[in-house]
Amino acid sequence: MNVLLVYAHPEPQSFNGAMRDLAIDVLTRDRHTVVLSDLYAMNFNAIGGPHDFQDLQDTTFFKYQREQRHATATRTFAPDVAREMEKLIRADMLLLQFPLWWYSLPAILKGWIDRVFAMGFAYDAGRAHESGPIQGKRAMVAVTTGGPSTSFGVGAFSPPIDDVLFHIQYGMLHFAGMQVLPPFIAYGAARIDDAQRAALLDRFGEHLQALETLQPLDFSHRARQAHRT
Ligand SMILES: Cc1cc2nc3c(=O)[nH]c(=O)nc-3n(C[C@H](O)[C@H](O)[C@H](O)COP(=O)(O)OP(=O)(O)OC[C@H]3O[C@@H](n4cnc5c(N)ncnc54)[C@H](O)[C@@H]3O)c2cc1C
């Protein structure tokens, strides 16, 4: 498989950095090809706007999705966006590696989604979840948390991790038609000791080695709930 690893952490020596390095080692050893987008190292511009486009359809009123559709049709995305789209087209799988910040993605990674998962490219009106150039590709989230596993769950300090990640796994990845594999969660990465961190890395390696056999998440039940509210 060709794997696009999109990594978002400002400190290369962080635990997320260790997970990134491990993912590259394990996947390469298992004969996958890994392309890395290290968003902080690339100084990736997280802010979507008119600079995403080389040829604005309407210069009098900026409507982001309309311009994304136009740029998809005319191949006029700015080079930094076009490069990431090319990587995504060549990939069989997208792996997102990040620390949980405010129950979500670091802004730099959210900006990558805003700009790269463009309307007309990753989805279009009436064809969310169903078709498009990244439809059917696999996707997986690898995330570290501050809170321990016991702090996530029904009645716990934070909601169950599936709920926390729903807007990412369903609202972004599944929305674009990707097959979302079970996530890897490194709970409490900053609060545990070295031996526990080493064990977490071992478990992450095993998770990655099982990639080919992991079954995609089934969102049918969750989607019905979300659409009722
Ligand atoms: C803005 C913000 C919002 C946040 N919101 C949330 C939230 O909503 N929910 C939540 O739970 N948490 C939250 N957090 C906490 C955050 O998720 C954790 O701090 C983060 O996930 C820890 O991962 P890290 O890579 O940054 O850890 P680091 O602090 O970088 O690493 C932890 C330790 O691992 C060590 N390490 C590095 N490499 C290795 C290795 N190879 N082997 C063993 N040890 C190694 C490092 O030296 C360090 O001591 C938030 C943090 C911020 C900054």
Side-chain angles (χ1 to χ4, degrees):
M1 269 198 298
N2 293 324
V3 180
L4 173 59
L5 168 52
V6 180
Y7 162 76
H9 197 291
E11 171 52 62
Q13 299 176 79
S14 63
F15 193 70
N16 272 266
M19 290 178 72
R20 169 207 56 198
D21 293 344
L22 183 86
I24 293 170
D25 279 358
V26 169
L27 293 171
T28 308
R29 235 184 297 127
D30 283 354
R31 296 188 217 288
H32 302 297
T33 304
V34 182
V35 172
L36 174 67
S37 283
D38 180 341
L39 299 183
Y40 281 95
M42 293 157 63
N43 200 19
F44 185 78
N45 183 358
I47 300 172
H51 52 269
D52 285 9
F53 310 102
Q54 300 191 65
D55 169 48
L56 286 176
Q57 185 175 21
D58 185 343
T59 53
T60 60
F61 185 93
F62 179 69
K63 192 161 163 52
Y64 198 16
Q65 287 175 307
R66 182 169 60 204
E67 296 299 342
Q68 288 184 323
R69 291 180 87 186
H70 174 67
T72 302
T74 55
R75 298 174 160 267
T76 49
F77 281 102
D80 61 340
V81 177
R83 265 194 302 275
E84 296 307 300
M85 287 173 164
E86 278 305 314
K87 291 180 195 172
L88 197 48
I89 287 169
R90 282 197 295 272
D92 303 301
M93 176 173 154
L94 172 66
L95 174 56
L96 301 180
Q97 171 73 57
F98 59 93
L100 191 70
W101 283 4
W102 293 111
Y103 287 14
S104 191
L105 309 161
I108 200 167
L109 180 53
K110 174 58 166 50
W112 187 90
I113 297 280
D114 289 344
R115 301 181 71 211
V116 177
F117 274 36
M119 188 174 201
F121 172 73
Y123 70 97
D124 212 338
R127 66 167 174 81
H129 309 291
E130 286 159 19
S131 64
I134 63 174
Q135 191 263 337
K137 293 180 189 288
R138 297 181 211 192
M140 197 186 104
V141 161
V143 61
T144 60
T145 72
S149 59
T150 49
S151 69
F152 292 86
V154 176
F157 182 76
S158 293
I161 195 71
D162 289 348
D163 292 357
V164 172
L165 297 179
F166 184 70
H167 71 293
I168 302 167
Q169 298 190 130
Y170 180 80
M172 301 174 196
L173 303 172
H174 183 69
F175 190 87
M178 304 185 95
Q179 304 274 315
V180 186
L181 302 183
F184 183 82
I185 319 292
Y187 287 107
R191 298 188 193 170
I192 53 182
D193 63 29
D194 282 347
Q196 290 170 311
R197 275 194 285 269
L200 263 183
L201 290 174
D202 286 346
R203 280 189 27 236
F204 184 41
E206 288 161 13
H207 193 83
L208 291 169
Q209 282 171 328
L211 272 190
E212 308 274 13
T213 57
L214 292 174
Q215 289 304 304
L217 301 176
D218 177 5
F219 289 106
S220 48
H221 172 63
R222 294 298 315 273
R224 277 196 298 277
Q225 280 181 338
H227 291 156
R228 266 205 304 272
T229 54

mmCIF file of all heavy atoms in Angstrom, residues 9-19 98-104 143-148 151-152 158 164 186 188-195 197-198 201, ligand 1:
data_model
loop_
_atom_site.group_PDB
_atom_site.id
_atom_site.type_symbol
_atom_site.label_atom_id
_atom_site.label_comp_id
_atom_site.label_asym_id
_atom_site.label_seq_id
_atom_site.Cartn_x
_atom_site.Cartn_y
_atom_site.Cartn_z
ATOM 1 N N HIS A 9 2.579 17.780 14.847
ATOM 2 C CA HIS A 9 3.051 18.074 16.200
ATOM 3 C C HIS A 9 4.222 19.041 16.081
ATOM 4 O O HIS A 9 5.097 18.844 15.239
ATOM 5 C CB HIS A 9 3.475 16.794 16.934
ATOM 6 C CG HIS A 9 3.563 16.982 18.422
ATOM 7 N ND1 HIS A 9 4.540 17.760 19.015
ATOM 8 C CD2 HIS A 9 2.782 16.521 19.437
ATOM 9 C CE1 HIS A 9 4.355 17.775 20.331
ATOM 10 N NE2 HIS A 9 3.288 17.027 20.609
ATOM 11 N N PRO A 10 4.230 20.085 16.928
ATOM 12 C CA PRO A 10 5.284 21.094 16.780
ATOM 13 C C PRO A 10 6.664 20.651 17.265
ATOM 14 O O PRO A 10 7.656 21.324 16.981
ATOM 15 C CB PRO A 10 4.762 22.267 17.629
ATOM 16 C CG PRO A 10 3.794 21.653 18.589
ATOM 17 C CD PRO A 10 3.205 20.460 17.917
ATOM 18 N N GLU A 11 6.744 19.534 18.033
ATOM 19 C CA GLU A 11 8.031 19.114 18.610
ATOM 20 C C GLU A 11 8.443 17.745 18.035
ATOM 21 O O GLU A 11 7.789 16.739 18.322
ATOM 22 C CB GLU A 11 7.901 19.030 20.147
ATOM 23 C CG GLU A 11 9.092 18.405 20.852
ATOM 24 C CD GLU A 11 10.432 19.037 20.470
ATOM 25 O OE1 GLU A 11 10.618 20.225 20.713
ATOM 26 O OE2 GLU A 11 11.287 18.308 19.914
ATOM 27 N N PRO A 12 9.520 17.719 17.255
ATOM 28 C CA PRO A 12 9.935 16.445 16.651
ATOM 29 C C PRO A 12 10.252 15.353 17.675
ATOM 30 O O PRO A 12 10.123 14.170 17.380
ATOM 31 C CB PRO A 12 11.199 16.820 15.859
ATOM 32 C CG PRO A 12 11.113 18.295 15.656
ATOM 33 C CD PRO A 12 10.347 18.856 16.817
ATOM 34 N N GLN A 13 10.703 15.747 18.916
ATOM 35 C CA GLN A 13 11.070 14.723 19.917
ATOM 36 C C GLN A 13 9.880 14.323 20.797
ATOM 37 O O GLN A 13 10.052 13.653 21.802
ATOM 38 C CB GLN A 13 12.180 15.252 20.804
ATOM 39 C CG GLN A 13 13.445 15.590 20.037
ATOM 40 C CD GLN A 13 14.487 16.190 20.946
ATOM 41 O OE1 GLN A 13 15.166 15.469 21.683
ATOM 42 N NE2 GLN A 13 14.599 17.507 20.936
ATOM 43 N N SER A 14 8.701 14.748 20.428
ATOM 44 C CA SER A 14 7.507 14.420 21.215
ATOM 45 C C SER A 14 7.170 12.940 21.099
ATOM 46 O O SER A 14 7.734 12.215 20.263
ATOM 47 C CB SER A 14 6.321 15.233 20.698
ATOM 48 O OG SER A 14 6.067 14.862 19.348
ATOM 49 N N PHE A 15 6.205 12.509 21.901
ATOM 50 C CA PHE A 15 5.740 11.126 21.773
ATOM 51 C C PHE A 15 5.080 10.934 20.414
ATOM 52 O O PHE A 15 5.217 9.875 19.802
ATOM 53 C CB PHE A 15 4.788 10.776 22.920
ATOM 54 C CG PHE A 15 4.527 9.303 23.005
ATOM 55 C CD1 PHE A 15 5.525 8.428 23.414
ATOM 56 C CD2 PHE A 15 3.297 8.770 22.640
ATOM 57 C CE1 PHE A 15 5.302 7.058 23.460
ATOM 58 C CE2 PHE A 15 3.066 7.414 22.689
ATOM 59 C CZ PHE A 15 4.071 6.550 23.107
ATOM 60 N N ASN A 16 4.386 11.959 19.947
ATOM 61 C CA ASN A 16 3.828 11.868 18.592
ATOM 62 C C ASN A 16 4.940 11.671 17.562
ATOM 63 O O ASN A 16 4.772 10.936 16.593
ATOM 64 C CB ASN A 16 3.029 13.134 18.242
ATOM 65 C CG ASN A 16 1.585 13.023 18.671
ATOM 66 O OD1 ASN A 16 0.725 12.636 17.894
ATOM 67 N ND2 ASN A 16 1.311 13.329 19.929
ATOM 68 N N GLY A 17 6.071 12.337 17.796
ATOM 69 C CA GLY A 17 7.213 12.156 16.891
ATOM 70 C C GLY A 17 7.701 10.714 16.926
ATOM 71 O O GLY A 17 8.057 10.134 15.886
ATOM 72 N N ALA A 18 7.716 10.115 18.144
ATOM 73 C CA ALA A 18 8.129 8.711 18.259
ATOM 74 C C ALA A 18 7.138 7.804 17.514
ATOM 75 O O ALA A 18 7.534 6.835 16.847
ATOM 76 C CB ALA A 18 8.223 8.315 19.735
ATOM 77 N N MET A 19 5.854 8.133 17.606
ATOM 78 C CA MET A 19 4.842 7.329 16.900
ATOM 79 C C MET A 19 5.001 7.471 15.387
ATOM 80 O O MET A 19 4.863 6.505 14.641
ATOM 81 C CB MET A 19 3.430 7.740 17.343
ATOM 82 C CG MET A 19 3.113 7.316 18.777
ATOM 83 S SD MET A 19 1.478 7.859 19.320
ATOM 84 C CE MET A 19 0.408 6.786 18.374
ATOM 85 N N PHE A 98 -1.647 12.760 15.408
ATOM 86 C CA PHE A 98 -1.734 14.070 16.082
ATOM 87 C C PHE A 98 -2.070 13.909 17.568
ATOM 88 O O PHE A 98 -2.627 12.885 17.981
ATOM 89 C CB PHE A 98 -2.812 14.937 15.402
ATOM 90 C CG PHE A 98 -4.198 14.327 15.420
ATOM 91 C CD1 PHE A 98 -5.096 14.628 16.434
ATOM 92 C CD2 PHE A 98 -4.596 13.438 14.434
ATOM 93 C CE1 PHE A 98 -6.366 14.060 16.464
ATOM 94 C CE2 PHE A 98 -5.863 12.863 14.451
ATOM 95 C CZ PHE A 98 -6.749 13.174 15.466
ATOM 96 N N PRO A 99 -1.766 14.937 18.371
ATOM 97 C CA PRO A 99 -2.242 14.967 19.756
ATOM 98 C C PRO A 99 -3.667 15.529 19.785
ATOM 99 O O PRO A 99 -4.007 16.403 18.978
ATOM 100 C CB PRO A 99 -1.267 15.946 20.425
ATOM 101 C CG PRO A 99 -0.857 16.881 19.335
ATOM 102 C CD PRO A 99 -0.909 16.099 18.039
ATOM 103 N N LEU A 100 -4.476 15.018 20.708
ATOM 104 C CA LEU A 100 -5.840 15.546 20.850
ATOM 105 C C LEU A 100 -5.756 16.928 21.481
ATOM 106 O O LEU A 100 -5.248 17.081 22.596
ATOM 107 C CB LEU A 100 -6.660 14.596 21.739
ATOM 108 C CG LEU A 100 -8.160 14.847 21.781
ATOM 109 C CD1 LEU A 100 -8.794 14.488 20.433
ATOM 110 C CD2 LEU A 100 -8.816 14.023 22.902
ATOM 111 N N TRP A 101 -6.230 17.917 20.790
ATOM 112 C CA TRP A 101 -6.251 19.299 21.295
ATOM 113 C C TRP A 101 -7.700 19.755 21.310
ATOM 114 O O TRP A 101 -8.354 19.794 20.260
ATOM 115 C CB TRP A 101 -5.402 20.218 20.408
ATOM 116 C CG TRP A 101 -3.908 20.101 20.621
ATOM 117 C CD1 TRP A 101 -3.251 19.225 21.454
ATOM 118 C CD2 TRP A 101 -2.872 20.882 20.004
ATOM 119 N NE1 TRP A 101 -1.884 19.413 21.385
ATOM 120 C CE2 TRP A 101 -1.626 20.425 20.504
ATOM 121 C CE3 TRP A 101 -2.875 21.915 19.065
ATOM 122 C CZ2 TRP A 101 -0.402 20.975 20.104
ATOM 123 C CZ3 TRP A 101 -1.650 22.465 18.677
ATOM 124 C CH2 TRP A 101 -0.430 22.000 19.193
ATOM 125 N N TRP A 102 -8.197 20.079 22.481
ATOM 126 C CA TRP A 102 -9.587 20.524 22.617
ATOM 127 C C TRP A 102 -10.544 19.539 21.940
ATOM 128 O O TRP A 102 -11.403 19.920 21.169
ATOM 129 C CB TRP A 102 -9.777 21.949 22.065
ATOM 130 C CG TRP A 102 -9.048 22.966 22.884
ATOM 131 C CD1 TRP A 102 -7.948 23.690 22.518
ATOM 132 C CD2 TRP A 102 -9.335 23.349 24.230
ATOM 133 N NE1 TRP A 102 -7.538 24.473 23.554
ATOM 134 C CE2 TRP A 102 -8.366 24.304 24.615
ATOM 135 C CE3 TRP A 102 -10.313 22.963 25.157
ATOM 136 C CZ2 TRP A 102 -8.350 24.873 25.883
ATOM 137 C CZ3 TRP A 102 -10.292 23.548 26.424
ATOM 138 C CH2 TRP A 102 -9.325 24.489 26.756
ATOM 139 N N TYR A 103 -10.344 18.248 22.259
ATOM 140 C CA TYR A 103 -11.196 17.178 21.715
ATOM 141 C C TYR A 103 -11.124 17.130 20.186
ATOM 142 O O TYR A 103 -12.041 16.620 19.543
ATOM 143 C CB TYR A 103 -12.673 17.372 22.100
ATOM 144 C CG TYR A 103 -13.028 17.086 23.558
ATOM 145 C CD1 TYR A 103 -12.062 16.959 24.551
ATOM 146 C CD2 TYR A 103 -14.363 16.947 23.935
ATOM 147 C CE1 TYR A 103 -12.399 16.711 25.864
ATOM 148 C CE2 TYR A 103 -14.714 16.691 25.261
ATOM 149 C CZ TYR A 103 -13.722 16.579 26.216
ATOM 150 O OH TYR A 103 -14.068 16.318 27.533
ATOM 151 N N SER A 104 -10.062 17.631 19.604
ATOM 152 C CA SER A 104 -10.059 17.750 18.151
ATOM 153 C C SER A 104 -8.639 17.703 17.600
ATOM 154 O O SER A 104 -7.704 17.256 18.265
ATOM 155 C CB SER A 104 -10.773 19.062 17.767
ATOM 156 O OG SER A 104 -11.013 19.097 16.379
ATOM 157 N N VAL A 143 -3.847 8.893 17.589
ATOM 158 C CA VAL A 143 -3.957 10.106 18.413
ATOM 159 C C VAL A 143 -3.435 9.860 19.827
ATOM 160 O O VAL A 143 -3.603 8.771 20.369
ATOM 161 C CB VAL A 143 -5.437 10.594 18.420
ATOM 162 C CG1 VAL A 143 -6.378 9.573 19.009
ATOM 163 C CG2 VAL A 143 -5.607 11.915 19.143
ATOM 164 N N THR A 144 -2.778 10.863 20.382
ATOM 165 C CA THR A 144 -2.388 10.806 21.792
ATOM 166 C C THR A 144 -3.343 11.694 22.588
ATOM 167 O O THR A 144 -3.855 12.683 22.061
ATOM 168 C CB THR A 144 -0.954 11.328 21.997
ATOM 169 O OG1 THR A 144 -0.884 12.692 21.546
ATOM 170 C CG2 THR A 144 0.057 10.496 21.228
ATOM 171 N N THR A 145 -3.564 11.329 23.838
ATOM 172 C CA THR A 145 -4.420 12.151 24.688
ATOM 173 C C THR A 145 -3.655 12.561 25.943
ATOM 174 O O THR A 145 -2.662 11.909 26.312
ATOM 175 C CB THR A 145 -5.694 11.402 25.133
ATOM 176 O OG1 THR A 145 -5.327 10.404 26.084
ATOM 177 C CG2 THR A 145 -6.413 10.763 23.959
ATOM 178 N N GLY A 146 -4.134 13.609 26.596
ATOM 179 C CA GLY A 146 -3.592 13.965 27.897
ATOM 180 C C GLY A 146 -4.233 13.089 28.971
ATOM 181 O O GLY A 146 -3.569 12.562 29.847
ATOM 182 N N GLY A 147 -5.546 12.912 28.850
ATOM 183 C CA GLY A 147 -6.276 12.138 29.846
ATOM 184 C C GLY A 147 -6.010 10.637 29.722
ATOM 185 O O GLY A 147 -5.779 10.132 28.617
ATOM 186 N N PRO A 148 -6.057 9.917 30.872
ATOM 187 C CA PRO A 148 -5.915 8.452 30.827
ATOM 188 C C PRO A 148 -7.167 7.803 30.244
ATOM 189 O O PRO A 148 -8.206 8.466 30.105
ATOM 190 C CB PRO A 148 -5.761 8.077 32.305
ATOM 191 C CG PRO A 148 -6.452 9.173 33.050
ATOM 192 C CD PRO A 148 -6.295 10.415 32.236
ATOM 193 N N SER A 151 -10.549 8.292 31.857
ATOM 194 C CA SER A 151 -11.233 9.591 31.821
ATOM 195 C C SER A 151 -12.142 9.733 30.603
ATOM 196 O O SER A 151 -12.814 10.745 30.439
ATOM 197 C CB SER A 151 -10.222 10.741 31.871
ATOM 198 O OG SER A 151 -9.485 10.805 30.670
ATOM 199 N N PHE A 152 -12.142 8.710 29.731
ATOM 200 C CA PHE A 152 -13.021 8.716 28.560
ATOM 201 C C PHE A 152 -14.060 7.616 28.714
ATOM 202 O O PHE A 152 -13.702 6.461 28.958
ATOM 203 C CB PHE A 152 -12.214 8.481 27.266
ATOM 204 C CG PHE A 152 -11.286 9.609 26.918
ATOM 205 C CD1 PHE A 152 -10.001 9.664 27.459
ATOM 206 C CD2 PHE A 152 -11.691 10.634 26.076
ATOM 207 C CE1 PHE A 152 -9.137 10.713 27.148
ATOM 208 C CE2 PHE A 152 -10.831 11.692 25.759
ATOM 209 C CZ PHE A 152 -9.553 11.722 26.293
ATOM 210 N N SER A 158 -14.609 12.804 30.306
ATOM 211 C CA SER A 158 -14.787 13.097 28.881
ATOM 212 C C SER A 158 -15.682 12.033 28.260
ATOM 213 O O SER A 158 -15.739 10.902 28.747
ATOM 214 C CB SER A 158 -13.438 13.090 28.153
ATOM 215 O OG SER A 158 -12.640 14.165 28.587
ATOM 216 N N VAL A 164 -15.759 11.464 20.843
ATOM 217 C CA VAL A 164 -14.826 12.583 20.676
ATOM 218 C C VAL A 164 -14.308 12.629 19.234
ATOM 219 O O VAL A 164 -14.177 13.694 18.633
ATOM 220 C CB VAL A 164 -13.650 12.450 21.677
ATOM 221 C CG1 VAL A 164 -12.576 13.491 21.399
ATOM 222 C CG2 VAL A 164 -14.157 12.563 23.110
ATOM 223 N N ALA A 186 -3.299 6.535 22.016
ATOM 224 C CA ALA A 186 -2.249 6.477 23.042
ATOM 225 C C ALA A 186 -2.709 7.359 24.197
ATOM 226 O O ALA A 186 -2.466 8.568 24.222
ATOM 227 C CB ALA A 186 -0.926 6.960 22.468
ATOM 228 N N GLY A 188 -3.080 9.175 27.674
ATOM 229 C CA GLY A 188 -2.244 9.701 28.755
ATOM 230 C C GLY A 188 -0.768 9.736 28.431
ATOM 231 O O GLY A 188 0.072 9.623 29.347
ATOM 232 N N ALA A 189 -0.436 9.935 27.160
ATOM 233 C CA ALA A 189 0.958 9.779 26.712
ATOM 234 C C ALA A 189 1.954 10.612 27.514
ATOM 235 O O ALA A 189 3.084 10.176 27.743
ATOM 236 C CB ALA A 189 1.049 10.127 25.230
ATOM 237 N N ALA A 190 1.529 11.784 27.961
ATOM 238 C CA ALA A 190 2.470 12.662 28.653
ATOM 239 C C ALA A 190 2.544 12.360 30.155
ATOM 240 O O ALA A 190 3.435 12.847 30.843
ATOM 241 C CB ALA A 190 2.073 14.118 28.431
ATOM 242 N N ARG A 191 1.626 11.539 30.656
ATOM 243 C CA ARG A 191 1.553 11.363 32.115
ATOM 244 C C ARG A 191 2.059 9.999 32.581
ATOM 245 O O ARG A 191 2.168 9.773 33.784
ATOM 246 C CB ARG A 191 0.101 11.499 32.572
ATOM 247 C CG ARG A 191 -0.472 12.858 32.279
ATOM 248 C CD ARG A 191 -1.823 12.987 32.934
ATOM 249 N NE ARG A 191 -2.555 14.144 32.452
ATOM 250 C CZ ARG A 191 -3.819 14.382 32.722
ATOM 251 N NH1 ARG A 191 -4.497 13.531 33.482
ATOM 252 N NH2 ARG A 191 -4.417 15.450 32.252
ATOM 253 N N ILE A 192 2.324 9.097 31.648
ATOM 254 C CA ILE A 192 2.726 7.751 32.039
ATOM 255 C C ILE A 192 4.259 7.655 32.073
ATOM 256 O O ILE A 192 4.948 8.574 31.631
ATOM 257 C CB ILE A 192 2.127 6.703 31.068
ATOM 258 C CG1 ILE A 192 2.477 7.064 29.626
ATOM 259 C CG2 ILE A 192 0.617 6.619 31.260
ATOM 260 C CD1 ILE A 192 1.900 6.119 28.589
ATOM 261 N N ASP A 193 4.786 6.530 32.588
ATOM 262 C CA ASP A 193 6.249 6.427 32.671
ATOM 263 C C ASP A 193 6.832 5.815 31.390
ATOM 264 O O ASP A 193 6.099 5.403 30.495
ATOM 265 C CB ASP A 193 6.668 5.659 33.941
ATOM 266 C CG ASP A 193 6.174 4.212 33.938
ATOM 267 O OD1 ASP A 193 6.014 3.633 32.836
ATOM 268 O OD2 ASP A 193 5.931 3.669 35.028
ATOM 269 N N ASP A 194 8.155 5.776 31.343
ATOM 270 C CA ASP A 194 8.835 5.337 30.113
ATOM 271 C C ASP A 194 8.449 3.916 29.707
ATOM 272 O O ASP A 194 8.282 3.623 28.526
ATOM 273 C CB ASP A 194 10.358 5.426 30.289
ATOM 274 C CG ASP A 194 10.839 6.866 30.141
ATOM 275 O OD1 ASP A 194 10.043 7.716 29.671
ATOM 276 O OD2 ASP A 194 11.999 7.146 30.510
ATOM 277 N N ALA A 195 8.326 3.044 30.722
ATOM 278 C CA ALA A 195 7.995 1.639 30.411
ATOM 279 C C ALA A 195 6.597 1.566 29.793
ATOM 280 O O ALA A 195 6.362 0.824 28.817
ATOM 281 C CB ALA A 195 8.058 0.790 31.686
ATOM 282 N N ARG A 197 5.151 3.945 28.166
ATOM 283 C CA ARG A 197 5.225 4.534 26.806
ATOM 284 C C ARG A 197 5.819 3.530 25.816
ATOM 285 O O ARG A 197 5.376 3.430 24.670
ATOM 286 C CB ARG A 197 6.036 5.828 26.833
ATOM 287 C CG ARG A 197 5.189 7.034 27.206
ATOM 288 C CD ARG A 197 5.907 8.322 26.892
ATOM 289 N NE ARG A 197 6.953 8.595 27.852
ATOM 290 C CZ ARG A 197 6.772 9.307 28.952
ATOM 291 N NH1 ARG A 197 5.604 9.836 29.219
ATOM 292 N NH2 ARG A 197 7.761 9.517 29.787
ATOM 293 N N ALA A 198 6.812 2.781 26.285
ATOM 294 C CA ALA A 198 7.409 1.764 25.404
ATOM 295 C C ALA A 198 6.354 0.709 25.041
ATOM 296 O O ALA A 198 6.271 0.266 23.882
ATOM 297 C CB ALA A 198 8.611 1.112 26.081
ATOM 298 N N LEU A 201 4.055 2.051 22.405
ATOM 299 C CA LEU A 201 4.658 2.012 21.067
ATOM 300 C C LEU A 201 4.606 0.594 20.500
ATOM 301 O O LEU A 201 4.345 0.396 19.307
ATOM 302 C CB LEU A 201 6.100 2.539 21.107
ATOM 303 C CG LEU A 201 6.251 4.046 21.364
ATOM 304 C CD1 LEU A 201 7.721 4.425 21.519
ATOM 305 C CD2 LEU A 201 5.620 4.871 20.237
HETATM 306 C C1 LIG B 1 -4.067 23.136 23.145
HETATM 307 C C2 LIG B 1 -4.141 21.791 23.850
HETATM 308 C C3 LIG B 1 -5.377 21.197 24.022
HETATM 309 C C4 LIG B 1 -5.470 19.943 24.610
HETATM 310 N N1 LIG B 1 -6.692 19.338 24.717
HETATM 311 C C5 LIG B 1 -6.776 18.090 25.212
HETATM 312 C C6 LIG B 1 -8.046 17.405 25.248
HETATM 313 O O1 LIG B 1 -9.066 17.908 24.796
HETATM 314 N N2 LIG B 1 -8.081 16.164 25.781
HETATM 315 C C7 LIG B 1 -6.960 15.549 26.270
HETATM 316 O O2 LIG B 1 -7.046 14.417 26.743
HETATM 317 N N3 LIG B 1 -5.740 16.161 26.237
HETATM 318 C C8 LIG B 1 -5.637 17.402 25.715
HETATM 319 N N4 LIG B 1 -4.399 18.006 25.629
HETATM 320 C C9 LIG B 1 -3.201 17.253 26.064
HETATM 321 C C10 LIG B 1 -2.501 16.596 24.856
HETATM 322 O O3 LIG B 1 -3.399 15.768 24.136
HETATM 323 C C11 LIG B 1 -1.305 15.748 25.320
HETATM 324 O O4 LIG B 1 -0.409 16.586 25.987
HETATM 325 C C12 LIG B 1 -0.621 15.091 24.149
HETATM 326 O O5 LIG B 1 -1.489 14.202 23.490
HETATM 327 C C13 LIG B 1 0.599 14.296 24.608
HETATM 328 O O6 LIG B 1 1.310 13.835 23.471
HETATM 329 P P1 LIG B 1 2.697 14.516 23.062
HETATM 330 O O7 LIG B 1 3.256 13.835 21.858
HETATM 331 O O8 LIG B 1 2.531 15.992 22.965
HETATM 332 O O9 LIG B 1 3.525 14.154 24.353
HETATM 333 P P2 LIG B 1 4.982 14.711 24.803
HETATM 334 O O10 LIG B 1 4.783 15.574 25.997
HETATM 335 O O11 LIG B 1 5.743 15.255 23.665
HETATM 336 O O12 LIG B 1 5.663 13.347 25.187
HETATM 337 C C14 LIG B 1 5.420 12.702 26.416
HETATM 338 C C15 LIG B 1 6.723 12.087 26.837
HETATM 339 O O13 LIG B 1 7.092 11.050 25.938
HETATM 340 C C16 LIG B 1 8.496 11.077 25.799
HETATM 341 N N5 LIG B 1 8.938 10.358 24.602
HETATM 342 C C17 LIG B 1 9.266 10.840 23.396
HETATM 343 N N6 LIG B 1 9.699 9.851 22.589
HETATM 344 C C18 LIG B 1 9.606 8.708 23.311
HETATM 345 C C19 LIG B 1 9.903 7.350 23.019
HETATM 346 N N7 LIG B 1 10.395 6.945 21.848
HETATM 347 N N8 LIG B 1 9.689 6.432 23.983
HETATM 348 C C20 LIG B 1 9.197 6.793 25.191
HETATM 349 N N9 LIG B 1 8.925 8.084 25.526
HETATM 350 C C21 LIG B 1 9.117 9.022 24.581
HETATM 351 C C22 LIG B 1 8.776 12.567 25.752
HETATM 352 O O14 LIG B 1 10.148 12.817 26.019
HETATM 353 C C23 LIG B 1 7.895 13.078 26.845
HETATM 354 O O15 LIG B 1 8.517 13.005 28.103
HETATM 355 C C24 LIG B 1 -4.281 19.281 25.064
HETATM 356 C C25 LIG B 1 -3.039 19.912 24.910
HETATM 357 C C26 LIG B 1 -2.962 21.143 24.300
HETATM 358 C C27 LIG B 1 -1.604 21.777 24.110
#
